[in-house]
Amino acid sequence: MLKRFKIFICVLAVMVAMNSHLSVFASEADLPDPVFAADIDIVDLDFPEYSESEPVDSNIIDDAPTSYSIDETGDVLDVSSQLSSRGVYLFENNPNASTSGTLTESNNMDAYFFSVTDSAKFLLAQLKSSNTNYVARLFVVDKEAGDATPTNIYGKPDDLIQLNGLPIGEYALIILSENSTYGQNYTLNIHAQNPAANISEVYYLFSDLSIFMFKTETGDVYSNGNLIYNTSTKAGNYLHWQRTDKVSWGSGYEQRTHMVLNATVKGMSKLASYSSKNASSNYVVLLYCDEDTEFSYVHTYYQSAPDHIYDSTTVDTTGRETPRKLDSVDFAGGNQHILVYDINTGRPIDFYSTLNLFYAGGAEPQPTINFY
């Protein structure tokens, strides 16, 4: 077994070289024999202790307005020049952004344009400045007419601007000074990625608004516009992961493919940073898979004549055929199977599990996980 495991490590070393775009040459005499997952001694993995996200104080959004109204006392602004200018401040659709600037007598208004494109959004925005007379106000924009109509949604420095239900449309956040005092810098943060919702718990709201994660009354967990999973159905969007590793030489190849499909989630960890040999992110949550999560593993080895070899197997590290659904056997003795979900991309980036051959055999170091 030890000899075969050493061969397995050599194979992985070649894979790493290939993945690093280094040239690898092998003679017929030193080609590795195939080593299969079921032949590996599974090492003890250091699974993080299961600790589910805890809600933070959500009182700050309890009274968020659900609609805006036109401010009849405000002036409709001509923004045609800003709209036509190459230097126009344009946020991405459904923005999650931060920007900064300075108002002056000659530049007494900054307009930041954006669109809500697919559904009503939960708008959060905040202005930061030492000038307490600065104000950020939401305007409805008519691009054809070139004007912007003020609404009742606004905030002075440090106020948290909120609107639970910003409809599809064209908008601008416009920075003005109420008493024509200028010269001070400002920072404007905006988050309009998450859908409007009846929020029951807020898990995270970063001070710069870059991460806004909450649970709705129906159990949907959203972060930055992505539905992670539902706490009742245990299902989510895009809870799939695949890793394919292949090394080729002149007369053959070896390939391993791991795949997780339709993960069933029994719980979500606190926010963490994650770093492994194959994946890393500053902001992830660990999704603890439950029974019925689908898993498959395929290992193929081919070597042409004169020593023709073709081997293929779908047996995983536990000696069981795949594809299959996880069952009680997979969780015996407190074993866990974790999808690492990247908040930035809204997709899983790793599978930390004894079913992952690279972790199970100790060929790759265990990841570094630090909870916030």
Side-chain angles (χ1 to χ4, degrees):
M1 178 66 71
L2 180 60
K3 181 179 180 181
R4 298 190 72 181
F5 186 70
K6 288 181 178 179
I7 295 173
F8 165 69
I9 294 296
C10 293
V11 172
L12 289 178
V14 176
M15 288 183 181
V16 171
M18 288 295 293
N19 290 337
S20 303
H21 305 288
L22 299 177
S23 297
V24 176
F25 301 95
S27 66
E28 297 293 334
D30 59 10
L31 291 176
D33 293 327
V35 178
F36 298 107
D39 297 326
I40 298 171
D41 291 328
I42 297 178
V43 301
D44 290 330
L45 298 186
D46 186 18
F47 291 115
E49 198 172 310
Y50 178 69
S51 179
E52 195 160 343
S53 285
E54 298 176 357
V56 300
D57 183 9
S58 59
N59 291 330
I60 55 173
I61 66 166
D62 284 346
D63 299 322
T66 57
S67 63
Y68 64 78
S69 61
I70 299 301
D71 185 354
E72 301 292 348
T73 64
D75 295 329
V76 176
L77 302 180
D78 181 359
V79 292
S80 55
S81 61
Q82 287 92 339
L83 286 169
S84 62
S85 171
R86 291 184 178 180
V88 65
Y89 299 129
L90 180 65
F91 287 143
E92 62 186 3
N93 293 341
N94 316 309
N96 180 359
S98 180
T99 188
S100 58
T102 305
L103 297 184
T104 64
E105 290 188 8
S106 60
N107 178 47
N108 61 6
M109 178 185 80
D110 281 341
Y112 297 92
F113 299 92
F114 65 96
S115 300
V116 172
T117 59
D118 54 1
S119 66
K121 299 298 182 183
F122 197 121
L123 170 69
L124 292 176
Q126 192 169 48
L127 182 67
K128 299 279 190 179
S129 179
S130 61
N131 188 334
T132 58
N133 294 302
Y134 283 179
V135 61
R137 184 181 290 271
L138 179 69
F139 284 71
V140 179
V141 174
D142 185 336
K143 287 185 176 180
E144 292 187 4
D147 59 32
T149 303
T151 73
N152 64 321
I153 305 299
Y154 67 93
K156 290 188 173 184
D158 296 327
D159 291 340
L160 185 61
I161 302 169
Q162 304 177 63
L163 177 56
N164 187 5
L166 182 61
I168 294 173
E170 305 290 335
Y171 300 95
L173 276 170
I174 297 181
I175 315 299
L176 301 160
S177 178
E178 287 189 321
N179 67 348
S180 301
T181 57
Y182 306 107
Q184 289 73 36
N185 297 333
Y186 67 82
T187 297
L188 175 67
N189 299 317
I190 180 174
H191 192 300
Q193 290 185 319
N194 286 320
N198 294 324
I199 297 175
S200 62
E201 296 178 357
V202 175
Y203 292 127
Y204 298 100
L205 177 58
F206 278 24
S207 59
D208 63 357
L209 310 184
S210 61
I211 292 182
F212 181 29
M213 183 188 298
F214 59 75
K215 184 174 77 172
T216 71
E217 291 180 350
T218 58
D220 288 335
V221 177
Y222 280 96
S223 179
N224 292 20
N226 295 300
L227 172 61
I228 302 176
Y229 81 113
N230 181 280
T231 57
S232 297
T233 66
K234 299 185 178 182
N237 285 349
Y238 307 110
L239 297 186
H240 316 305
W241 173 84
Q242 179 175 326
R243 175 176 175 180
T244 298
D245 295 85
K246 182 177 182 179
V247 57
S248 299
W249 51 90
S251 56
Y253 67 89
E254 187 166 21
Q255 178 171 301
R256 293 178 171 88
T257 297
H258 298 75
M259 185 179 297
V260 176
L261 294 173
N262 302 316
T264 302
V265 180
K266 64 183 177 182
M268 181 182 75
S269 78
K270 298 177 181 179
L271 202 64
S273 63
Y274 184 89
S275 178
S276 70
K277 188 173 183 63
N278 195 55
S280 63
S281 174
N282 289 331
Y283 300 110
V284 305
V285 287
L286 307 182
L287 300 182
Y288 288 76
C289 296
D290 206 348
E291 295 180 28
D292 292 329
T293 296
E294 298 173 21
F295 175 75
S296 69
Y297 173 76
V298 180
H299 176 195
T300 303
Y301 180 97
Y302 171 75
Q303 171 60 47
S304 65
D307 298 320
H308 179 79
I309 300 173
Y310 180 81
D311 279 310
S312 181
T313 182
T314 56
V315 175
D316 63 27
T317 57
T318 65
R320 303 169 73 186
E321 286 284 351
T322 68
R324 65 181 180 83
K325 293 184 177 181
L326 303 192
D327 57 27
S328 59
V329 175
D330 294 293
F331 297 92
N335 195 29
Q336 300 289 352
H337 307 276
I338 296 172
L339 268 184
V340 182
Y341 185 94
D342 185 6
I343 296 299
N344 298 314
T345 63
R347 300 290 188 275
I349 58 173
D350 205 0
F351 185 50
Y352 186 40
S353 165
T354 51
L355 294 174
N356 186 330
L357 179 144
F358 296 97
Y359 293 132
E364 291 184 359
Q366 298 188 43
T368 299
I369 303 170
N370 293 308
F371 292 99
Y372 291 104

